[in-house]
Amino acid sequence: MPPQKLKIACAGLGRMGKRHALHFLNRTPRAELVAASSPDPVEIQWAKQHLEPYGVRLYTDYDEMIQQEGLQAVVIASATVVHAEQSIKAMEKNLHVLCEKPLGTTVEISQSVVDAARKHPHLKVMCGFSRRFDSSYRDAHAKMDSGLIGRPSIFRSQTCDMLDPSGFFVAYAEFSGGIFVDCSIHDIDLALWFFGQDSQVKSVAASGITAVQPELRKHNDRDNAVGIVEFWDGKIAHLFASRMMAAGQDDATEIIGTEGKLQVNAQPMQNLVNIYEKGGVRREIPPHYYGRFEQAFVTESNEFTAACLDDGKLPFKLAGAVQAVKIGCALQEALITGKKIYFDEVGRRSEKALL
Amino acid sequence: MPPQKLKIACAGLGRMGKRHALHFLNRTPRAELVAASSPDPVEIQWAKQHLEPYGVRLYTDYDEMIQQEGLQAVVIASATVVHAEQSIKAMEKNLHVLCEKPLGTTVEISQSVVDAARKHPHLKVMCGFSRRFDSSYRDAHAKMDSGLIGRPSIFRSQTCDMLDPSGFFVAYAEFSGGIFVDCSIHDIDLALWFFGQDSQVKSVAASGITAVQPELRKHNDRDNAVGIVEFWDGKIAHLFASRMMAAGQDDATEIIGTEGKLQVNAQPMQNLVNIYEKGGVRREIPPHYYGRFEQAFVTESNEFTAACLDDGKLPFKLAGAVQAVKIGCALQEALITGKKIYFDEVGRRSEKALL
Amino acid sequence: MPPQKLKIACAGLGRMGKRHALHFLNRTPRAELVAASSPDPVEIQWAKQHLEPYGVRLYTDYDEMIQQEGLQAVVIASATVVHAEQSIKAMEKNLHVLCEKPLGTTVEISQSVVDAARKHPHLKVMCGFSRRFDSSYRDAHAKMDSGLIGRPSIFRSQTCDMLDPSGFFVAYAEFSGGIFVDCSIHDIDLALWFFGQDSQVKSVAASGITAVQPELRKHNDRDNAVGIVEFWDGKIAHLFASRMMAAGQDDATEIIGTEGKLQVNAQPMQNLVNIYEKGGVRREIPPHYYGRFEQAFVTESNEFTAACLDDGKLPFKLAGAVQAVKIGCALQEALITGKKIYFDEVGRRSEKALL
Amino acid sequence: MPPQKLKIACAGLGRMGKRHALHFLNRTPRAELVAASSPDPVEIQWAKQHLEPYGVRLYTDYDEMIQQEGLQAVVIASATVVHAEQSIKAMEKNLHVLCEKPLGTTVEISQSVVDAARKHPHLKVMCGFSRRFDSSYRDAHAKMDSGLIGRPSIFRSQTCDMLDPSGFFVAYAEFSGGIFVDCSIHDIDLALWFFGQDSQVKSVAASGITAVQPELRKHNDRDNAVGIVEFWDGKIAHLFASRMMAAGQDDATEIIGTEGKLQVNAQPMQNLVNIYEKGGVRREIPPHYYGRFEQAFVTESNEFTAACLDDGKLPFKLAGAVQAVKIGCALQEALITGKKIYFDEVGRRSEKALL
């Protein structure tokens, strides 16, 4: 008899929810997608076609779904504003939780998820930092861990989306927490992964512009932003986020150590094809983050499932997600106020530069 | 109720057999691996651990396996010498067949599989030319089809394996058909795909050496070989196969047209990491073909399964596999005899150069 | 009779002085190197061997040299602290001046050179921003000018030197003006070139560390530093300078516009050779900036010479060099104090963030 | 007093002649261009503007030019058909000779230059294989010599020109010797350099097509050709030449050894700029060979000059140029006749394959 499969539900069937649902349905052998929910009729319609025929029960109400008999876990891919609430409710129903990033748009909300998880230590609760599951990032991290580049000192990372001229991001900015919380959260999480989860931020500075979408200003957001995050142990992360790339998704990371440098995706590419044509040599690049990180998402589903079934260790701690939101929010504040923000060695805000 | 799954068996559990078995078990949602066979006790031992617990029935005898109740298809990954025989037996049991390349080491044997398949037109019979399922090759082919490079004229392709100092390939050469039939068969198949499946070969010439494994000569084989295949419609393929790469698997292809050139994998890479260190910038490359083509194999399993279940069209015709073996065998003969070999416009051997 | 050649002298025969001398001697057909000076006996010894035999008169005293009969121009490659003084003296002798960067380590000193040049409008006075003569930077600038990337908005640039474990840079830091004035001055100059020479700085922020040479702190310097320069017209430059690269010189620049991005030297390389070996594929990179910019220096010599002889226009204005020093000094101050520094729209310091 | 300069004349002022003349005039400090000749009034007109003002005496007659008082050397860049004759005449006037490749279009003619040079052992006589002076090729050769790739075994090289739709190459083919003698001669020379100048050819095979210029057939030429050159010591060169590249000059070389592989220019590039734009990432590539090899030509002028003035050793022997022509002519014959051509171990033609 084959081993038991993890019965999981998917909350939210938007862009990323659809993908999570399909990953658990088709590409996670040890999981069984048994339920999915969305308040959106269009999304439910999609699910009737793509999920229901395979035995997935559909709900318009999240609370109802998580009462389904036999359910063991939930993947939360709904709007960011309900991430925390749905996560906590799931834990109260004794369900493992894989929650899309960020846990929330404020430190307090994010922390509430961590607090709830502490009360349910037998549950697996993970924030979906997909890049942690990407084979290239993992390879770079392993190489760093092996000492290949000496002591990591400078971290540079960017999340650059292709321009979406539809105006989607303007509406989205109202609730996203801003470009540093929404986009750079990945880079911040990577910085904490490469520099050490307990790194204490010392200062943040940021500048931004609205090069293509001035309407973003009404939501205190920008379409391009750069930031510096300084840590107390003598390490620095510098970040760039943009929503106006012409060529496609351009996410790159460098970790610079005292004896070497590791680059991840410094030459973005759609696949292994080069085109020689009038004008030179061209390669295409992925149009969006899913083109870059599809495999990482699938690995995420599989590893989360294995941890739930085998009571295994998750690859990283939930608490880090709060630290990432803290830094992201500070950067966003620095971006909007124009001020540099300082922290003392135990994480409290300081009015002055501390040397 | 979820749709029916394809009940499939795997014949042979060697290097590639294990992979096919796992792909059908875990990564082909519409298939159900129900059986596997191997005459090798070590392989059966592996299967007891990795397949049996998931409901896969094991056999030491292929003939017995293909009688299993409810079986619908078989993937054949046994030794090349039994590919044809096992394929034909499967068809006689009314099973769909996915047979590893090559169908056989001679044209006659390969043709026998095609002949059998003609007698069972309702069965899906496919030769596992995995590169046909690789997303980069498919992208290149689609770009060529769209006219991006004008009329394709010159094709250059290489299959270069990392040196295996164990001597494996010397023993293997006794039955492999030789480097052009075993390695270059992929490049030849690609040439036929890009130039048109009905391309008629006009001449072949080849030269080879034993740079690292002189013992190969006793099996009329070489460890490095280059060949030229000329077609009657004014197109040329030039091929290189090697088994002595230091860095890893190095399979590259170029299609040169009158208005452009497409390259596939001209810069092999293990992943998206660059390492800056004393000595320069380095990237790793896959150690073997599976590191390069893993996703293609998974796509192959899934598309074969879909074609069987939905009575769909296979992505390419079986007969092409015979043409590939014909060219491979001619190249191998040219390699060993030192002679150039000519064919007339209907495919018969000619003693003289035809202009 | 061949046209007249420009009679030029070289002041300073250190690392860069030697190179300038040889460029004017051998690789600048329209120039004739007639004199060279250095107070250092070792450098004079070198000159006796490499310059004197070709008709170059040697001096230990700069003031004496610039009185040489028939002299028309001088290239100043002496220590940074005497750049300004020697430039002004040369102008007073009616000599054209090519002065190595930076003009000085403070805005005031740098401005004094510009003021002197204004009094001698018939003289060609240029600051040696070598990257302005690099064919790749020029190509990128021309492409930007042609509108290829829309409106340039974000500029990212780094000057990263290979680690020199000799401790040279610690001693050097005493007079260099610091890493932003010495290294990043090139990137700042490029930012002004790509964004427009009249761009007004709005704020600067910076952070730095001493990852490998803590002794730099006694000279208020760092071995790694990142900075953000915000301009009043909604453009941002972010900069990185380092002196601890393991692999070699790693100077890269990106100009990101509303419709595209241009990269210069994102994949540094020594030449066009790739090495496939155990461990992967490797390319070497230049050990120092001269390996990257040799041709640019030669172009600089030739274009400066042509401008002098033909009373032509220099490719960029001297005044920009002061603006570059101003930004470099502000970044260095921000680096050391930990404070963000603000400027109003006419360039005066402001205590507060201006939105 | 500056050391003596080499007084040199330039024969022929076509495309390459102009370049040689300017290199010796402006970029070869130890040489003095004193004369130039061309029978073509248009070329003489160009020379009146670009050479005469700098003291270069012009001739319409080569024989007259080489009698000029004080002349020490000549660079021959005239039509291929007079290369040999002009070289021999120059030697008879006691002049050093740098002759453009090939020495002639037949082995006999080429050998006549070598024979003449043997009679004037004090003269420096060199065939202008410019790639021998390219820093990337030199670096690759030095790395091979150092043992980095073990024993070199397979050589792959291509000379691929951008399509010239003017029809120039059709007329040119009448006297060029054909694509293997004109284009691949560089690759053949490189093969001899990397494999050893005394490598004995064992067989050649070739195939070609006229993909874009069928008129070439009237001169027994092709616009695309591939060839295999087998050597008696177990080494193989495979070559590709094309005149229909869409993107630009695409000359690449690989040397594959038992322990590694060296690539030269596998990713052709115009400069260090990458363009990110709609459609992906693009880099430009040089439109013609001079864009790729300009520096190599300049190095050639300088090293030839130094060898003449200092009675130094030339970097390679003249006799190799005959061997290159021999192989080129054999490939051209194999291309046209469709036959494989065999040689015995002492270089004589054989009717049969020799194993």
Side-chain angles (χ1 to χ4, degrees):
Chain A
M1 206 192 73
Q4 208 54 48
K5 294 192 170 192
L6 182 75
K7 289 187 193 320
I8 192 165
C10 180
L13 294 166
R15 190 170 59 162
M16 202 57 227
K18 284 187 185 72
R19 287 168 181 158
H20 278 301
L22 292 174
H23 294 168
F24 278 103
L25 182 66
N26 291 327
R27 301 169 79 175
T28 311
R30 300 184 65 193
E32 185 184 350
L33 185 75
V34 297
S37 72
S38 168
D40 179 340
V42 175
E43 292 178 11
I44 287 292
Q45 207 48 47
W46 176 89
K48 277 185 194 293
Q49 195 181 345
H50 293 93
L51 304 180
E52 211 173 44
Y54 302 89
V56 181
R57 204 161 146 190
L58 305 182
Y59 297 84
T60 51
D61 182 55
Y62 175 80
D63 295 348
E64 203 182 319
M65 177 176 74
I66 57 174
Q67 297 178 44
Q68 182 171 318
E69 179 73 28
L71 192 65
Q72 296 169 283
V74 64
V75 52
I76 295 171
S78 41
T80 296
V81 288
V82 297
H83 281 180
E85 179 194 330
Q86 292 189 341
S87 294
I88 294 168
K89 281 182 177 173
M91 287 183 251
E92 288 165 355
K93 292 287 176 202
N94 208 37
L95 302 177
H96 303 293
V97 176
L98 166 53
C99 181
E100 258 303 322
K101 62 89 212 167
L103 294 182
T105 55
T106 69
V107 172
E108 293 68 30
I109 294 172
S110 305
Q111 184 61 43
S112 71
V113 180
V114 175
D115 294 342
R118 284 208 178 115
K119 288 187 209 138
H120 302 84
H122 63 293
L123 293 177
K124 307 296 166 191
V125 184
M126 188 166 90
C127 181
F129 285 122
S130 47
R131 294 182 198 184
R132 299 257 192 161
F133 299 90
D134 176 65
S135 59
S136 293
Y137 277 109
R138 287 182 162 189
D139 183 41
H141 197 275
K143 284 182 162 60
M144 182 196 76
D145 261 356
S146 78
L148 191 67
I149 60 164
R151 197 172 57 258
S153 303
I154 302 281
F155 175 89
R156 184 171 76 75
S157 197
Q158 66 181 40
T159 295
C160 295
D161 295 344
M162 189 155 73
L163 178 65
D164 176 345
S166 74
F168 166 78
F169 278 113
V170 176
Y172 182 73
E174 189 169 358
F175 301 109
S176 74
I179 194 165
F180 279 122
V181 176
D182 186 54
C183 269
S184 302
I185 198 80
H186 285 295
D187 306 290
I188 297 166
D189 175 62
L190 289 173
L192 293 170
W193 185 29
F194 280 88
F195 278 171
Q197 208 63 55
D198 300 325
S199 302
Q200 283 296 333
V201 59
K202 183 178 178 184
S203 73
V204 304
S207 292
I209 56 175
T210 48
V212 283
Q213 293 183 312
E215 312 80 15
L216 284 168
R217 291 185 175 262
K218 72 178 172 218
H219 299 311
N220 271 337
D221 209 359
R222 303 289 183 268
D223 52 23
N224 285 270
V226 300
I228 300 174
V229 182
E230 195 181 10
F231 293 96
W232 270 103
D233 58 350
K235 290 169 183 159
I236 295 172
H238 51 138
L239 310 177
F240 173 40
S242 176
R243 299 209 191 268
M244 71 168 194
M245 292 296 108
Q249 191 73 24
D250 188 1
D251 297 348
T253 300
E254 286 188 347
I255 308 99
I256 301 160
T258 49
E259 293 164 36
K261 172 170 103 167
L262 293 161
Q263 279 184 331
V264 179
N265 201 34
Q267 292 92 50
M269 60 189 70
Q270 169 79 315
N271 54 30
L272 299 168
V273 176
N274 290 327
I275 307 154
Y276 285 60
E277 62 191 352
K278 213 170 274 301
V281 184
R282 179 165 61 93
R283 66 173 190 277
E284 296 176 338
I285 74 178
H288 42 54
Y289 72 96
Y290 190 67
R292 167 68 183 87
F293 290 110
E294 178 177 348
Q295 272 306 311
F297 284 113
V298 172
T299 303
E300 183 182 77
S301 308
N302 280 275
E303 295 197 2
F304 173 73
T305 297
C308 294
L309 287 174
D310 307 336
D311 193 17
K313 223 173 156 235
L314 291 169
F316 51 95
K317 288 189 223 149
L318 186 65
V322 179
Q323 172 80 331
V325 170
K326 178 182 172 181
I327 295 173
C329 289
L331 280 164
Q332 194 72 17
E333 181 184 336
L335 172 71
I336 299 307
T337 62
K339 291 185 186 160
K340 189 166 178 177
I341 296 173
Y342 307 96
F343 297 89
D344 68 14
E345 292 186 60
V346 294
R348 291 169 309 197
R349 293 280 286 259
S350 160
E351 279 312 297
K352 303 196 301 186
L354 299 165
L355 300 178
Chain B
M1 205 192 70
Q4 208 55 47
K5 293 194 169 188
L6 182 76
K7 290 187 193 322
I8 192 166
C10 181
L13 293 167
R15 192 169 59 163
M16 202 56 227
K18 285 187 185 71
R19 288 167 182 159
H20 278 301
L22 292 173
H23 294 168
F24 279 103
L25 182 65
N26 291 326
R27 303 168 77 175
T28 311
R30 299 184 66 194
E32 185 184 349
L33 184 74
V34 296
S37 72
S38 169
D40 178 340
V42 175
E43 292 178 13
I44 287 292
Q45 206 48 45
W46 176 89
K48 277 184 194 295
Q49 195 181 347
H50 294 94
L51 305 180
E52 212 174 43
Y54 302 90
V56 181
R57 203 160 145 192
L58 305 183
Y59 297 84
T60 51
D61 183 56
Y62 174 80
D63 293 350
E64 204 183 320
M65 178 176 74
I66 57 176
Q67 299 178 42
Q68 181 171 317
E69 179 72 29
L71 192 64
Q72 296 169 282
V74 64
V75 51
I76 295 172
S78 40
T80 296
V81 287
V82 297
H83 280 179
E85 180 195 327
Q86 293 190 342
S87 294
I88 294 168
K89 281 181 177 173
M91 288 183 249
E92 288 166 354
K93 293 287 176 199
N94 209 35
L95 303 176
H96 302 294
V97 176
L98 167 52
C99 180
E100 258 303 322
K101 64 88 210 165
L103 294 182
T105 54
T106 68
V107 172
E108 292 69 30
I109 294 173
S110 305
Q111 185 61 42
S112 71
V113 180
V114 176
D115 292 343
R118 285 206 178 117
K119 288 185 210 141
H120 303 85
H122 63 292
L123 293 178
K124 305 297 167 191
V125 184
M126 187 166 90
C127 181
F129 285 123
S130 46
R131 295 183 197 183
R132 298 259 192 161
F133 299 90
D134 176 67
S135 59
S136 294
Y137 277 108
R138 286 182 162 188
D139 183 42
H141 197 274
K143 285 183 161 60
M144 181 194 76
D145 261 357
S146 78
L148 191 67
I149 59 164
R151 196 171 60 258
S153 303
I154 301 282
F155 175 89
R156 184 171 76 76
S157 196
Q158 66 182 40
T159 295
C160 295
D161 296 342
M162 189 155 73
L163 178 65
D164 177 345
S166 74
F168 166 79
F169 278 112
V170 176
Y172 182 74
E174 188 170 357
F175 302 108
S176 74
I179 194 165
F180 278 121
V181 175
D182 186 55
C183 269
S184 302
I185 198 80
H186 285 295
D187 306 290
I188 297 166
D189 176 62
L190 289 172
L192 293 169
W193 186 27
F194 280 87
F195 278 170
Q197 207 64 56
D198 300 325
S199 302
Q200 283 296 333
V201 59
K202 183 178 178 185
S203 74
V204 304
S207 292
I209 56 174
T210 49
V212 282
Q213 293 182 313
E215 311 79 16
L216 284 168
R217 291 187 175 259
K218 71 179 171 217
H219 299 311
N220 270 337
D221 209 359
R222 303 290 184 266
D223 51 25
N224 285 269
V226 301
I228 300 174
V229 182
E230 197 181 9
F231 293 96
W232 269 103
D233 57 351
K235 291 171 182 158
I236 295 171
H238 51 137
L239 310 178
F240 173 39
S242 176
R243 298 210 191 268
M244 71 169 195
M245 291 296 110
Q249 191 73 24
D250 189 1
D251 296 348
T253 300
E254 288 188 345
I255 308 97
I256 301 160
T258 49
E259 293 165 36
K261 171 169 103 167
L262 292 161
Q263 278 184 331
V264 178
N265 201 35
Q267 293 91 48
M269 59 190 70
Q270 168 79 313
N271 54 30
L272 299 168
V273 176
N274 290 327
I275 307 155
Y276 285 60
E277 62 191 350
K278 212 169 275 300
V281 185
R282 180 166 60 92
R283 67 173 190 275
E284 296 177 338
I285 72 176
H288 42 54
Y289 72 96
Y290 190 67
R292 167 69 184 86
F293 290 110
E294 178 177 349
Q295 272 307 310
F297 284 113
V298 172
T299 304
E300 182 183 78
S301 309
N302 280 276
E303 295 197 2
F304 173 73
T305 297
C308 294
L309 287 174
D310 308 337
D311 194 16
K313 222 174 155 235
L314 291 170
F316 51 96
K317 287 190 225 151
L318 187 65
V322 179
Q323 171 81 330
V325 169
K326 177 183 171 181
I327 295 173
C329 288
L331 280 164
Q332 193 73 17
E333 181 185 336
L335 173 70
I336 299 307
T337 62
K339 292 184 185 160
K340 190 165 177 177
I341 296 173
Y342 307 97
F343 297 88
D344 68 15
E345 293 187 60
V346 293
R348 290 169 309 198
R349 293 279 286 258
S350 160
E351 279 312 298
K352 302 196 301 183
L354 299 166
L355 300 179
Chain C
M1 203 193 71
Q4 208 54 47
K5 294 192 171 191
L6 181 76
K7 290 188 194 317
I8 193 166
C10 180
L13 293 168
R15 192 169 58 162
M16 202 57 227
K18 286 187 183 72
R19 287 168 181 157
H20 278 301
L22 293 174
H23 295 168
F24 279 103
L25 182 65
N26 290 327
R27 301 168 78 175
T28 312
R30 299 185 66 193
E32 185 183 351
L33 184 75
V34 297
S37 73
S38 168
D40 179 340
V42 175
E43 291 178 11
I44 287 293
Q45 207 47 47
W46 175 87
K48 276 186 195 292
Q49 194 180 347
H50 294 93
L51 304 181
E52 213 175 41
Y54 302 90
V56 181
R57 200 160 149 193
L58 305 183
Y59 297 84
T60 51
D61 183 56
Y62 174 79
D63 294 349
E64 203 181 320
M65 177 176 75
I66 57 175
Q67 297 178 44
Q68 183 172 313
E69 180 73 27
L71 192 64
Q72 296 169 282
V74 65
V75 52
I76 294 172
S78 41
T80 297
V81 288
V82 297
H83 281 179
E85 180 195 327
Q86 292 189 343
S87 293
I88 295 168
K89 281 182 177 173
M91 288 183 250
E92 288 166 355
K93 292 288 175 203
N94 210 34
L95 303 177
H96 303 294
V97 175
L98 167 52
C99 181
E100 258 303 321
K101 62 90 210 167
L103 294 182
T105 55
T106 69
V107 172
E108 294 67 30
I109 294 172
S110 305
Q111 185 60 43
S112 71
V113 181
V114 176
D115 293 343
R118 286 212 176 111
K119 288 186 210 137
H120 302 87
H122 62 294
L123 293 178
K124 306 297 168 190
V125 184
M126 186 166 89
C127 181
F129 286 121
S130 46
R131 296 183 197 183
R132 298 258 193 163
F133 299 90
D134 176 66
S135 59
S136 293
Y137 277 109
R138 287 181 161 189
D139 183 42
H141 197 275
K143 285 183 162 60
M144 183 196 74
D145 261 357
S146 77
L148 191 67
I149 58 164
R151 195 170 61 257
S153 303
I154 303 281
F155 175 88
R156 184 171 76 76
S157 197
Q158 67 182 41
T159 295
C160 295
D161 295 343
M162 190 155 72
L163 178 66
D164 177 344
S166 74
F168 167 79
F169 277 113
V170 176
Y172 182 72
E174 188 170 0
F175 301 109
S176 74
I179 193 164
F180 278 121
V181 176
D182 185 55
C183 269
S184 302
I185 198 80
H186 286 295
D187 305 292
I188 297 166
D189 176 62
L190 289 173
L192 293 168
W193 187 27
F194 280 88
F195 278 169
Q197 208 63 55
D198 300 325
S199 302
Q200 283 296 332
V201 60
K202 183 178 178 185
S203 74
V204 304
S207 292
I209 57 174
T210 48
V212 283
Q213 293 182 313
E215 312 79 16
L216 284 168
R217 291 187 175 262
K218 71 180 173 216
H219 299 310
N220 270 339
D221 208 358
R222 302 290 183 267
D223 52 24
N224 284 270
V226 301
I228 300 175
V229 183
E230 196 181 9
F231 294 95
W232 270 102
D233 57 352
K235 290 171 184 159
I236 296 172
H238 50 138
L239 311 177
F240 173 40
S242 175
R243 298 211 191 268
M244 70 168 195
M245 291 296 110
Q249 191 74 24
D250 188 1
D251 296 350
T253 300
E254 287 188 346
I255 308 97
I256 302 161
T258 49
E259 293 164 36
K261 172 169 104 168
L262 292 161
Q263 278 184 331
V264 179
N265 201 36
Q267 293 91 48
M269 60 190 71
Q270 169 79 311
N271 54 28
L272 299 167
V273 176
N274 290 328
I275 307 154
Y276 285 60
E277 62 192 350
K278 212 170 274 301
V281 184
R282 180 166 59 93
R283 65 173 192 275
E284 296 176 339
I285 73 178
H288 41 54
Y289 72 97
Y290 189 67
R292 166 69 183 85
F293 290 110
E294 178 176 347
Q295 273 306 310
F297 285 112
V298 171
T299 303
E300 182 183 81
S301 309
N302 280 276
E303 295 196 3
F304 174 74
T305 297
C308 294
L309 287 174
D310 307 336
D311 194 17
K313 221 174 158 237
L314 290 168
F316 51 95
K317 287 189 226 153
L318 187 65
V322 180
Q323 171 81 332
V325 169
K326 177 182 172 181
I327 295 173
C329 289
L331 279 165
Q332 193 73 18
E333 181 185 336
L335 172 70
I336 299 306
T337 62
K339 291 184 186 160
K340 190 165 177 177
I341 296 173
Y342 307 97
F343 297 88
D344 69 14
E345 293 185 61
V346 293
R348 291 169 307 198
R349 292 282 284 260
S350 160
E351 279 312 297
K352 299 196 304 183
L354 300 166
L355 300 179
Chain D
M1 205 192 71
Q4 208 54 46
K5 294 193 171 191
L6 182 77
K7 291 188 193 317
I8 192 166
C10 181
L13 294 167
R15 191 169 57 162
M16 201 57 228
K18 286 187 183 72
R19 288 168 181 157
H20 277 302
L22 293 173
H23 294 168
F24 278 103
L25 183 66
N26 291 328
R27 300 168 79 175
T28 312
R30 301 184 64 193
E32 186 183 351
L33 185 75
V34 296
S37 73
S38 170
D40 178 341
V42 176
E43 291 178 11
I44 287 292
Q45 207 47 48
W46 176 89
K48 277 187 193 293
Q49 194 180 347
H50 294 94
L51 304 180
E52 212 175 44
Y54 303 89
V56 181
R57 201 159 149 195
L58 304 182
Y59 297 86
T60 51
D61 183 56
Y62 174 80
D63 294 347
E64 203 182 320
M65 176 176 75
I66 57 174
Q67 297 179 43
Q68 182 171 317
E69 179 72 27
L71 192 64
Q72 297 169 282
V74 65
V75 52
I76 295 172
S78 41
T80 297
V81 288
V82 296
H83 281 179
E85 180 195 327
Q86 292 190 343
S87 293
I88 294 168
K89 282 182 176 174
M91 289 183 250
E92 287 166 356
K93 292 287 176 203
N94 209 33
L95 302 176
H96 303 294
V97 175
L98 167 51
C99 180
E100 257 303 322
K101 62 87 211 168
L103 294 183
T105 55
T106 68
V107 173
E108 293 67 30
I109 295 172
S110 305
Q111 184 61 42
S112 71
V113 181
V114 176
D115 293 343
R118 287 213 175 111
K119 289 188 210 137
H120 303 86
H122 63 292
L123 293 177
K124 307 295 166 191
V125 184
M126 188 166 87
C127 181
F129 286 121
S130 47
R131 296 184 196 182
R132 298 259 193 162
F133 299 90
D134 176 66
S135 59
S136 293
Y137 277 109
R138 285 181 163 190
D139 183 41
H141 197 274
K143 283 183 164 59
M144 182 196 74
D145 261 355
S146 78
L148 192 66
I149 58 164
R151 196 172 57 258
S153 303
I154 302 281
F155 175 89
R156 184 171 76 77
S157 197
Q158 66 182 40
T159 295
C160 294
D161 295 344
M162 190 154 74
L163 178 65
D164 177 345
S166 74
F168 166 78
F169 277 113
V170 176
Y172 182 72
E174 188 171 358
F175 302 109
S176 74
I179 194 166
F180 278 121
V181 175
D182 186 55
C183 269
S184 302
I185 198 80
H186 285 296
D187 305 291
I188 297 166
D189 176 61
L190 288 172
L192 292 170
W193 187 28
F194 280 87
F195 278 170
Q197 209 62 56
D198 300 326
S199 302
Q200 282 297 332
V201 59
K202 183 178 177 184
S203 74
V204 304
S207 292
I209 56 175
T210 50
V212 283
Q213 293 182 313
E215 312 79 17
L216 284 168
R217 290 186 175 262
K218 72 180 172 214
H219 299 310
N220 270 338
D221 209 358
R222 303 289 183 267
D223 51 25
N224 285 270
V226 299
I228 300 174
V229 182
E230 195 181 9
F231 293 95
W232 270 102
D233 58 351
K235 291 170 182 160
I236 296 172
H238 51 138
L239 310 176
F240 173 40
S242 176
R243 299 212 192 266
M244 71 169 195
M245 291 297 108
Q249 191 73 23
D250 188 2
D251 296 347
T253 299
E254 287 188 345
I255 309 97
I256 301 161
T258 49
E259 293 164 35
K261 172 170 104 169
L262 293 160
Q263 277 184 331
V264 179
N265 201 36
Q267 292 92 49
M269 60 189 70
Q270 169 79 312
N271 54 29
L272 298 167
V273 176
N274 290 327
I275 307 154
Y276 285 60
E277 62 192 350
K278 215 170 271 300
V281 185
R282 179 166 60 93
R283 65 172 192 276
E284 295 176 338
I285 73 178
H288 42 54
Y289 72 94
Y290 190 67
R292 167 67 183 88
F293 290 110
E294 178 176 349
Q295 273 306 311
F297 284 113
V298 173
T299 303
E300 182 183 80
S301 309
N302 280 276
E303 295 197 3
F304 174 73
T305 297
C308 293
L309 287 173
D310 307 336
D311 194 17
K313 222 171 157 243
L314 291 169
F316 51 95
K317 288 188 226 152
L318 187 64
V322 180
Q323 172 80 332
V325 170
K326 176 182 172 181
I327 295 173
C329 289
L331 280 165
Q332 194 73 17
E333 181 185 336
L335 173 70
I336 299 307
T337 62
K339 291 185 187 159
K340 189 165 177 177
I341 296 173
Y342 307 96
F343 297 88
D344 68 14
E345 292 186 60
V346 294
R348 292 169 307 198
R349 293 281 283 259
S350 160
E351 279 312 298
K352 302 195 302 183
L354 298 165
L355 301 178

